[in-house]
Amino acid sequence: MFTTVLVVAVAFLGSVNPVQAQGVVNEIAVALSAETLQKGYTVESVDRLARVGVTPQLFDNRVTVTVRQLTIYPEPPAGKTLRSNVYEYDIIGDAELHQQRPLWLSVKMTGDIASGKTFGLYAYENNRWLRLPSKIDTATGLVKGISQFRA
């Protein structure tokens, strides 16, 4: 079983552990077959503002990708402001993970797009926010980032 989480908060965007997360507004779970995973697949949140893209051949067997929008989550770091809704994701299955391949994340920002800077992921294992390299498309308001998936 693989579980990692994304939270999206931004001048910072973020990540939350599914076991500890509360305040789920909506949730979508998509079961992906081994055939689909060979080609890759993107799962979109119910509100269509967040996406988790599974790189082709990231997993060798079926998995289920779940994306949740949260209303309760860890406070962002001092001086950082949320510029999007907050989401988490998890990927569960009995598949082998090919760690050299990335996971693609994107979130639609709200409010002052120009002040957004980075994605943030919350790491529950050490209770802190981590910066995720990202780019902001000011025309669409999307923040896009790449994450090495961790088992």
Side-chain angles (χ1 to χ4, degrees), residues 1-146:
M1 171 170 74
F2 305 99
T3 301
T4 292
V5 230
L6 138 97
V7 162
V8 188
V10 195
F12 212 68
L13 297 165
S15 166
V16 177
N17 188 319
V19 174
Q20 297 179 10
Q22 300 173 11
V24 175
V25 175
N26 58 52
E27 172 179 296
I28 185 168
V30 179
L32 303 175
S33 68
E35 289 174 306
T36 299
L37 290 165
Q38 288 300 307
K39 299 174 189 168
Y41 193 86
T42 299
V43 177
E44 192 170 53
S45 62
V46 173
D47 64 4
R48 305 186 78 186
L49 299 177
R51 294 185 182 111
V52 176
V54 179
T55 301
Q57 302 175 4
L58 179 62
F59 298 100
D60 68 348
N61 203 350
R62 64 180 177 227
V63 297
T64 297
V65 178
T66 303
V67 179
R68 298 172 189 88
Q69 182 181 349
L70 305 178
T71 58
I72 299 172
Y73 44 84
E75 284 291 316
K80 301 296 182 184
T81 305
L82 296 179
R83 297 284 185 221
S84 73
N85 292 332
V86 175
Y87 301 87
E88 76 175 5
Y89 70 86
D90 59 34
I91 300 175
I92 298 171
D94 294 324
E96 182 178 331
L97 171 67
H98 300 281
Q99 293 189 5
Q100 71 277 15
R101 295 185 175 96
L103 194 64
W104 304 84
L105 309 171
S106 72
V107 176
K108 177 91 170 171
M109 290 177 49
T110 59
D112 181 12
I113 294 171
S115 69
K117 300 275 189 278
T118 60
F119 244 126
L121 293 177
Y122 190 80
Y124 265 99
E125 59 273 6
N126 54 15
N127 295 314
R128 67 185 187 119
W129 286 90
L130 306 171
R131 291 178 67 136
L132 178 68
S134 55
K135 290 187 177 188
I136 300 170
D137 182 336
T138 55
T140 63
L142 285 176
V143 178
K144 300 174 184 178
I146 301 172

